[in-house]
Amino acid sequence: MAEDFCYAGERFADIQMLRYRLNGFDQLSLQQKLYVYYLSEATLWGRDITFDQMGADNLQIRKLMEIVCLYAKENGVDHGREYEAMETYLKRLWFSNGIHHHYGGEKFIPDFTEQYWEDMVRKIDPVSLPLREGQSVDGMIHHLAKIIFDPNVCSKRVNKTNGEDLVVTSACNFYKNVTQKEVEAFYAEKKDSNDMQPPSWGLNSQLVKKEDGQLSECVWKEDGLYGEAITHIIYWLKKAVEVAENEGQREVLKLLISYYQSGDLRTFDNYSIKWVECHEGDIDFINGFIEVYDDPLGIKATWEGLVEYKDKEASKRTRTISDHAQWFEDHSPIDNRFRKKTVKGVTANAICAAMLGGGEYPSTAIGINLPNADWIRAAHGSKSITISNITDAYNKAAKGSGFKEEFVGDKETLALIEKYGDACDDLHTDLHECLGHGSGQLLPGTDPDALRAYGSTIEEARADLFGLYYMAAPKLVELGLLPDGDAYKAQYYSYLMNGMMTQLTRIQPGNVIEEAHMRNRALIARWTYEHADGAMKMVKQEDKTFLVITDYSRLRKAFAELLAEIQRIKSEGDYEAAKELVETYAVKIDPVLHSEILERYKKLNLAPYKGFLNPRLTPVSSADGSIIDVNADYSETYWEQMMRYSHDYAAL
């Protein structure tokens, strides 16, 4: 029974592990289950790619720490404080796909000493160590000690500090021996202003400066960089072709395979078009180099994977939204020049995740809208998903935590959030993903990358504002998406409270806001605070700061004003205006308020971040060896799952 399902896994550092349930998986046909299984294997084989993309030394550090910790467990090494700290470090490294915090991007410094680490490493037979070609044990220890322990070396995975060379000061592994100016000049030369269907130049490659000073792309493809992992991905995608639900899915898979084989970005565009136009069947997937949040310049894409099947009951809500996409576009509070005259191909589904991988694992999004290319969206539409079993796990894990009671300032607002909060969160995610990202258009000749390092924050703010503006529209009550005209207030309060205050629980003292989604929420909340004519206030009650909203209708007007400006910025490619908005409202933190929020949160004894353990999918065979079922098992611990992945899916 679902009520008996254990959602909570272990907790460590600032992380709580959760499990998600494959609701309705048993009702899929054997062919569908096999399709999910083969796609899941293709998803798991991309793991090492993501680790390497997040930092050039991540894979060696991960392998070394796994060997050391396993040695300690198997040989009865004293499990004192330093060993416990070492195991926690490994768990954090697994969670973040590297040595930098998965959300904030800052390097986490070990709580064990360098001497203890070196002593443990030297206990290992050198034959078992993950030495690089020509590397000695002493050389490995000397090199990795700086990477792991020196706070000034590789301090940020993605640096977004205005005025610095964002490429040189970022530890992510998308560039080698090049500067920001060199990168921008290299890709500017590739762009043709007359090309109305430009590929996403640089999306699937590492840019390297050779010894002769020439810049060259090392493309991620079957016979290129990451080829060992991509070969396995292709193998399982070919297996998926054999059991796909329909011809459309088979065509999509074959194009993706062709793209992995060639690395040709125009093939990727053809794949994206076929994928977005394929609506038949209950099962879908994301597999490849997709999102660019982990590149400080927003060019290079992190590898990610997701396997999904439709949640048919929850999809009724998303279908209602997508069926009325043109109405929402026509009534958007933006300049008419930036509206799409005809909204094409907007499809939206609530789905159950069946397997998470790469950049979507263990921490995952709750909603996704793809493809990212603006010209494909305009001509062919987009697909949006909200992940119902992930949000369900979040909601069930949050019950009774005391969080809302601590940070919501009055009983009436708390009752409103208790009554409508979960439903409004789901609906806002739907509006953000289904319509927000797909709304509006660039003016002819506008470079899609014109906003550079600020592009991701501006785009996320645009989608969030679209959702916030329409949350209060009477049309949503008319469509049956909200029960009454007051429900939206729960979302307005929760969103602004998060942007002004509670998301700060995720940031260490003295740091600024780095992550694009957090910057987006801070930008919206703080800009609205200044421009909504006192409709929201920050007040003190018994030395605690609370948000008070006095005029919800005025907030909606402020959201409309900001949405209109942010759409103008994106449509016109106004870099300076984007920079001004983000740097003014989205980066800096009030240290006094931050200290207060952290202290209040600490007393709740909660983990600010959540991540997910995947189910283990295993084929069940009959006596003659034929597969008769696929079993989903949820019993694996975090240690067991991560060590199994490192052993079974080791490609690089």
Side-chain angles (χ1 to χ4, degrees):
M1 297 292 290
E3 302 84 51
D4 301 325
F5 185 78
C6 182
Y7 288 92
E10 71 173 281
R11 178 177 169 180
F12 55 91
D14 56 357
I15 294 162
Q16 172 72 60
M17 297 303 300
L18 303 175
R19 292 181 175 85
Y20 61 96
R21 186 180 179 87
L22 303 193
N23 303 313
F25 183 74
D26 290 342
Q27 278 69 58
L28 297 179
S29 69
L30 175 58
Q31 179 184 346
Q32 289 174 316
K33 288 180 179 179
L34 282 173
Y35 191 34
V36 168
Y37 172 69
Y38 293 149
L39 290 172
S40 295
E41 290 295 294
T43 293
L44 295 174
W45 272 105
R47 179 174 182 249
D48 279 2
I49 297 176
T50 307
F51 266 89
D52 192 71
Q53 289 181 314
M54 296 297 98
D57 296 292
N58 282 338
L59 279 173
Q60 188 178 32
I61 294 172
R62 188 194 81 193
K63 293 174 183 179
L64 177 63
M65 298 303 294
E66 288 171 346
I67 291 168
V68 169
C69 288
L70 190 60
Y71 171 87
K73 284 180 177 293
E74 292 179 345
N75 291 276
V77 174
D78 178 32
H79 286 215
R81 187 199 66 79
E82 288 211 272
Y83 173 78
E84 290 177 3
M86 180 175 285
E87 188 171 309
T88 297
Y89 181 86
L90 174 58
K91 290 177 179 179
R92 296 186 72 186
L93 189 153
W94 281 333
F95 191 89
S96 298
N97 292 303
I99 63 173
H100 297 86
H101 196 281
H102 75 287
Y103 211 83
E106 70 277 4
K107 184 168 76 173
F108 38 86
I109 303 300
D111 288 330
F112 51 89
T113 65
E114 183 176 338
Q115 187 61 57
Y116 176 81
W117 170 79
E118 181 176 340
D119 290 345
M120 289 294 294
V121 171
R122 292 192 182 280
K123 292 178 184 290
I124 310 298
D125 184 344
V127 175
S128 301
L129 292 173
L131 300 174
R132 292 170 175 159
E133 186 175 353
Q135 189 179 47
S136 66
V137 174
D138 287 343
M140 180 190 70
I141 289 173
H142 177 73
H143 174 69
L144 293 186
K146 291 188 297 182
I147 305 298
I148 295 172
F149 293 96
D150 190 334
N152 298 311
V153 176
C154 300
S155 59
K156 292 183 180 180
R157 187 186 71 236
V158 184
N159 183 23
K160 296 182 179 179
T161 303
N162 183 40
E164 296 184 4
D165 186 310
L166 303 184
V167 170
V168 173
T169 57
S170 293
C172 53
N173 194 24
F174 296 122
Y175 306 101
K176 191 172 181 179
N177 302 325
V178 294
T179 66
Q180 180 178 345
K181 287 184 178 179
E182 288 173 327
V183 174
E184 291 173 342
F186 181 85
Y187 288 111
E189 287 184 5
K190 287 183 172 291
K191 293 178 179 177
D192 180 354
S193 60
N194 296 317
D195 188 351
M196 302 306 293
Q197 299 180 352
S200 300
W201 295 115
L203 188 74
N204 65 333
S205 65
Q206 183 188 58
L207 186 62
V208 177
K209 183 189 288 184
K210 298 181 178 180
E211 291 183 1
D212 61 5
Q214 296 299 307
L215 271 59
S216 176
E217 288 184 304
C218 298
V219 179
W220 306 324
K221 59 177 180 172
E222 185 178 29
D223 61 352
L225 195 56
Y226 303 143
E228 300 93 331
I230 291 172
T231 298
H232 287 286
I233 294 171
I234 290 172
Y235 171 84
W236 288 103
L237 292 177
K238 287 180 176 178
K239 296 283 287 183
V241 171
E242 299 171 4
V243 293
E245 296 177 277
N246 52 66
E247 185 57 33
Q249 291 176 343
R250 283 187 281 275
E251 290 179 13
V252 168
L253 287 164
K254 289 175 182 177
L255 277 169
L256 179 57
I257 291 167
S258 178
Y259 163 60
Y260 272 135
Q261 291 170 332
S262 68
D264 189 320
L265 286 169
R266 295 199 186 272
T267 302
F268 176 70
D269 287 342
N270 292 335
Y271 153 74
S272 299
I273 292 167
K274 185 63 68 174
W275 176 81
V276 82
E277 292 180 342
C278 181
H279 306 304
E280 295 181 14
D282 292 332
I283 296 161
D284 208 346
F285 69 95
I286 296 167
N287 186 298
F289 306 103
I290 309 293
E291 302 289 3
V292 296
Y293 300 113
D294 296 311
D295 176 3
L297 302 185
I299 297 171
K300 308 292 181 183
T302 305
W303 192 93
E304 65 182 71
L306 169 67
V307 185
E308 65 192 63
Y309 57 94
K310 289 179 183 175
D311 181 336
K312 295 183 179 180
E313 183 61 32
S315 289
K316 293 176 182 178
R317 181 184 68 242
T318 55
R319 195 172 303 115
T320 298
I321 293 171
S322 59
D323 285 347
H324 292 83
Q326 191 65 57
W327 183 90
F328 286 98
E329 185 76 7
D330 292 344
H331 292 81
S332 177
I334 64 176
D335 191 298
N336 190 53
R337 295 177 300 151
F338 310 140
R339 291 187 188 139
K340 289 179 178 174
K341 302 302 182 284
T342 303
V343 177
K344 297 180 181 179
V346 174
T347 60
N349 287 294
I351 60 97
C352 285
M355 193 62 65
L356 308 172
E360 292 295 338
Y361 170 82
S363 177
T364 185
I366 58 174
I368 297 171
N369 177 274
L370 292 172
N372 287 327
D374 286 287
W375 70 266
I376 296 180
R377 290 176 183 273
H380 302 277
S382 62
K383 276 185 183 178
S384 297
I385 58 169
T386 52
I387 311 178
S388 61
N389 58 340
I390 294 294
T391 55
D392 183 55
Y394 274 129
N395 292 339
K396 285 185 168 59
K399 297 298 182 185
S401 68
F403 178 84
K404 286 179 283 194
E405 290 79 1
E406 173 61 36
F407 289 103
V408 178
D410 63 273
K411 293 182 179 179
E412 293 77 12
T413 302
L414 183 60
L416 193 73
I417 294 171
E418 288 286 351
K419 184 176 182 180
Y420 298 119
D422 289 351
C424 283
D425 283 345
D426 289 343
L427 182 56
H428 183 256
T429 300
D430 292 340
L431 291 168
H432 172 112
E433 300 294 351
C434 303
L435 300 180
H437 280 308
S439 66
Q441 63 181 353
L442 301 182
L443 292 182
T446 297
D447 182 352
D449 300 320
L451 303 184
R452 292 179 276 175
Y454 300 104
S456 294
T457 298
I458 291 297
E459 175 57 23
E460 292 303 322
R462 192 177 72 89
D464 261 1
L465 284 163
F466 190 98
L468 289 168
Y469 175 74
Y470 278 115
M471 285 294 297
K475 184 76 171 180
L476 297 192
V477 178
E478 177 189 322
L479 293 174
L481 297 170
L482 287 178
D484 59 55
D486 285 331
Y488 78 92
K489 296 177 182 178
Q491 184 64 23
Y492 275 24
Y493 189 94
S494 296
Y495 187 95
L496 292 169
M497 178 182 72
N498 186 36
M500 292 294 291
M501 296 174 22
T502 54
Q503 74 169 357
L504 299 181
T505 60
R506 295 181 161 194
I507 299 177
Q508 295 297 314
N511 289 351
V512 298
I513 303 175
E514 297 274 4
E515 200 276 335
H517 297 80
M518 294 182 75
R519 284 187 167 190
N520 138 51
R521 292 188 287 266
L523 190 163
I524 291 172
R526 294 169 179 179
W527 187 95
T528 303
Y529 181 72
E530 279 195 14
H531 293 82
D533 302 327
M536 55 183 288
K537 299 177 180 179
M538 304 297 286
V539 301
K540 282 278 191 177
Q541 298 176 14
E542 298 179 355
D543 295 325
K544 292 183 178 181
T545 303
F546 293 97
L547 169 67
V548 173
I549 295 178
T550 59
D551 189 342
Y552 281 92
S553 62
R554 180 65 188 93
L555 290 181
R556 189 183 189 221
K557 292 178 182 176
F559 293 149
E561 293 165 13
L562 184 55
L563 174 57
E565 172 60 5
I566 282 186
Q567 182 63 63
R568 182 200 68 77
I569 289 170
K570 182 175 178 67
S571 294
E572 295 180 352
D574 189 342
Y575 172 82
E576 291 301 326
K579 175 182 175 182
E580 179 69 19
L581 267 182
V582 173
E583 294 295 338
T584 301
Y585 296 103
V587 179
K588 298 175 183 177
I589 298 173
D590 177 349
V592 176
L593 177 62
H594 191 196
S595 177
E596 176 200 324
I597 298 301
L598 290 176
E599 185 62 29
R600 291 164 65 183
Y601 189 77
K602 182 179 180 181
K603 293 177 180 178
L604 298 174
N605 193 30
L606 299 175
Y609 299 99
K610 309 293 190 295
F612 291 89
L613 289 163
N614 281 323
R616 182 171 187 173
L617 299 182
T618 307
V620 179
S621 298
S622 63
D624 64 2
S626 59
I627 298 176
I628 57 175
D629 201 1
V630 177
N631 180 56
D633 179 77
Y634 305 97
S635 63
E636 230 174 5
T637 66
Y638 182 58
W639 173 273
E640 290 169 341
Q641 183 157 111
M642 289 299 186
M643 290 298 284
R644 178 170 67 87
Y645 285 178
S646 292
H647 179 270
D648 292 356
Y649 302 98
L652 303 180

